[in-house]
Amino acid sequence: MKSDRLSPVGVFDSGVGGLSVLQHIRHILPHESLIYFADSAFAPYGDKSEADITERCLAVADFLQQKQIKALVVACNTATAAAIKTLREYYPDLIIIGMEPGLKPAALLSKEKIVGVMATQFTLQSEKFLHLKAHLTAETSVRFEEQACVGLVNQIEKGELRSVTTLKLVRQFVTPLLQSGADTLVLGCTHYPFVSSLIEQVIGEFQAERHASTQHIHLVDTGVAVALQLQRLLEQGGLSLQAIHRPPTLTAYTTSSKSSLRNAFSQLLKIPDSALQIFAITEMSPVVSHC
Ligand code: DGL
């Protein structure tokens, strides 16, 4: 069976981070049925090799493709950097939307022309990121200061959004960026919007301690842009649902525990258990990469 207008959109991430993108998709495209896939048993992706991440992405995409999705949103900067090209080669007829750290919007917002980029180690070392940074540095003369936030994804996966350990980590990552003079911070990992209040807290503390100007520091997250791009591509492909044809469904799969994902939906998005169906996946057939 082929996908059609009524088919769901698949959204996936290494874990719960992609929920920060899913919330915008639900808001912008309220009539679409959605399948969310959290590969939490393999999170974080950010410290894994390109080959390992690509293998996971292919297995997840294959699983979602079997659910007849009409579009795939790779709601993970790390997975996009590692595997988007391979995914497009495997599924040339499927709408596939990836994401990358919002360096371009940040460069436009930064008055000081210094932008801090928070992302995973893999994303910051990827060819895709280095190319984007070199291009924008040449074009805008903005300086990009990078910070690999090792350990932060794990805290968010554990649901520790406000714990002392998470605050310490955020302080350790954000302070050097502020010290470098950055007035704009890119949240280059879809997990990080869930600790934006801690990031704001650290910015406040930094400015108060140094009696620094309390200028607004922008936080750049590309979740909305991804949802809008999905809307455009569905419309172009004649696949968007403008009105309710039948009540949209929300289904979620996890390679870890159902209760953790249920808690994440409730804690992060305020979506109650009654509004979604959750399944735990124990086995997925590996897709052998021939690229
Ligand atoms: N949400 C993923 C991203 O956007 C997290 C990566 C990870 O699992 O390390 O990069």
Side-chain angles (χ1 to χ4, degrees):
M1 197 179 88
K2 253 185 81 62
S3 62
D4 59 24
R5 283 162 82 92
L6 293 172
S7 300
V9 171
V11 180
F12 92 90
D13 178 48
S14 61
V16 300
L19 294 179
S20 70
V21 180
L22 187 90
Q23 66 185 343
H24 297 298
I25 296 176
R26 276 167 56 87
H27 183 68
I28 290 168
L29 298 163
H31 307 305
E32 301 292 349
S33 288
L34 302 172
I35 300 182
Y36 186 79
F37 194 107
D39 197 12
S40 293
F42 292 84
Y45 280 0
D47 60 6
K48 302 204 166 45
S49 71
E50 181 166 311
D52 286 349
I53 301 168
T54 303
E55 192 184 306
R56 291 308 303 165
C57 291
L58 285 173
V60 174
D62 183 59
F63 177 87
L64 290 171
Q65 178 76 340
Q66 286 174 34
K67 307 279 172 212
Q68 271 91 39
I69 52 169
K70 62 181 175 183
L72 175 67
V73 178
V74 184
C76 176
N77 295 265
T78 308
T80 302
I84 197 85
K85 199 164 158 268
T86 309
L87 287 171
R88 292 199 167 117
E89 282 163 4
Y90 268 73
Y91 302 103
D93 300 326
L94 182 66
I95 294 173
I96 301 181
I97 297 157
M99 56 197 306
E100 63 186 12
L103 268 57
K104 200 171 180 177
L108 292 170
L109 280 169
S110 174
K111 287 205 179 78
E112 301 298 330
K113 294 201 170 290
I114 307 171
V115 167
V117 186
M118 301 166 69
T120 67
Q121 208 155 9
F122 185 92
T123 298
L124 295 175
Q125 287 168 0
S126 69
E127 219 177 288
K128 212 167 173 296
F129 177 81
L130 294 174
H131 181 77
L132 175 70
K133 188 180 78 165
H135 171 73
L136 284 170
T137 305
E139 199 174 77
T140 64
S141 74
V142 165
R143 195 172 94 223
F144 295 99
E145 294 286 338
E146 294 146 33
Q147 180 65 61
C149 302
V150 179
L152 195 50
V153 164
N154 277 338
Q155 291 301 107
I156 298 163
E157 284 292 313
K158 284 192 276 176
E160 287 197 29
L161 302 185
R162 300 211 55 89
S163 74
V164 176
T165 311
T166 309
L167 176 60
K168 266 193 196 153
L169 274 180
V170 170
R171 198 175 278 133
Q172 177 192 326
F173 298 138
V174 170
T175 307
L177 296 175
L178 299 174
Q179 279 166 340
S180 76
D183 63 355
T184 305
L185 300 181
V186 174
L187 307 185
C189 167
T190 52
H191 282 75
Y192 303 164
F194 293 124
V195 288
S196 57
S197 61
L198 287 191
I199 298 173
E200 305 274 9
Q201 182 180 331
V202 170
I203 293 169
E205 285 169 7
F206 179 87
Q207 292 180 333
E209 263 170 36
R210 271 147 237 261
H211 307 290
S213 82
T214 51
Q215 63 161 324
H216 180 66
I217 306 273
H218 300 279
L219 302 186
V220 176
D221 158 29
T222 51
V224 176
V226 168
L228 289 170
Q229 174 70 348
L230 172 64
Q231 182 182 40
R232 265 191 297 275
L233 294 184
L234 289 179
E235 277 169 14
Q236 269 172 26
L239 286 168
S240 74
L241 288 178
Q242 313 288 354
I244 296 180
H245 289 246
R246 62 181 180 207
T249 57
L250 178 58
T251 312
Y253 295 90
T254 174
T255 49
S256 182
S257 89
K258 279 204 295 187
S259 60
S260 308
L261 188 56
R262 189 176 295 123
N263 289 344
F265 268 94
S266 137
Q267 186 190 14
L268 305 174
L269 300 191
K270 310 278 172 269
I271 294 179
D273 204 19
S274 56
L276 79 158
Q277 276 194 297
I278 301 191
F279 302 93
I281 299 299
T282 44
E283 257 178 52
M284 282 198 307
S285 32
V287 175
V288 182
S289 170
H290 56 64
C291 295

